[in-house]
């Protein structure tokens, strides 16, 4: 059965780093476009980063550009989000989502598969 599982979240001080993982089973990530979203309490869902299935294109939101890096490990069927220079405003639940057809869609309803989310808290 298809499953996406996020991990790697936790509590970190401002300026620190975390690496989030999105591990897939039941599907091959190389055949899906992957997007990281985040949702903070009281705020709308925000698109953070995208990785095209072909590996030829990536996207970063202006709010994280230069600080976050998305990558894929084909051998482990896992997509990563390396987060450096973390700020308080990065605090949120982070979700990965997979689409067979559309790359980097804003509409969350266009993604067929979602992980359960992992909490990131940036606080001193």
């Amino acid at each position: 059965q298809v499953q996406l599982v996020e991990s790697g979240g936790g509590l970190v001080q401002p300026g620190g780093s975390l690496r989030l993982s999105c591990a897939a089973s039941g599907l091959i990530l190389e055949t899906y476009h992957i997007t990281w979203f985040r949702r903070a309490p009281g705020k709308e869902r925000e698109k953070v980063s995208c990785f095209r299935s072909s590996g030829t294109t990536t996207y970063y939101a202006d709010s994280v550009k230069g600080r976050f890096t998305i990558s894929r490990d084909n051998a482990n069927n896992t997509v990563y989000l390396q987060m450096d220079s973390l700020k308080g405003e990065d605090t949120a639940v982070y979700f990965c989502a997979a689409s067979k057809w559309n790359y980097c869609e804003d509409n969350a309803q266009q993604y067929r598969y979602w992980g359960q989310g992992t909490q990131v808290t940036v606080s001193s």
Side-chain angles (χ1 to χ4, degrees), residues 1-4 23-29 31-32 77 100 113:
Q1 191 168 6
V2 171
Q3 190 173 30
L4 300 177
S25 60
L27 79 163
I28 300 174
L29 282 181
T31 67
Y32 286 83
N77 209 31
K100 189 73 171 180
Y113 302 114

Side-chain angles (χ1 to χ4, degrees), residues 42-92:
K43 297 182 179 180
E44 295 296 317
R45 179 181 290 106
E46 178 186 15
K47 184 172 66 180
V48 177
S49 185
C50 307
F51 194 98
R52 189 184 290 273
S53 60
S54 65
T56 59
T57 308
T58 58
Y59 161 86
Y60 300 96
D62 289 342
S63 58
V64 307
K65 191 173 184 179
R67 300 187 297 118
F68 290 11
T69 304
I70 191 169
S71 62
R72 184 178 67 197
D73 184 341
N74 295 336
N76 289 302
N77 209 31
T78 300
V79 170
Y80 300 99
L81 186 67
Q82 177 68 42
M83 307 185 298
D84 298 320
S85 301
L86 284 163
K87 306 174 181 179
E89 49 263 48
D90 296 317
T91 296

Side-chain angles (χ1 to χ4, degrees), residues 16-42:
S17 297
L18 287 172
R19 188 180 71 164
L20 305 184
S21 299
C22 176
S25 60
L27 79 163
I28 300 174
L29 282 181
E30 292 175 75
T31 67
Y32 286 83
H33 309 300
I34 303 298
T35 299
W36 285 96
F37 292 91
R38 66 185 181 187
R39 180 72 177 267

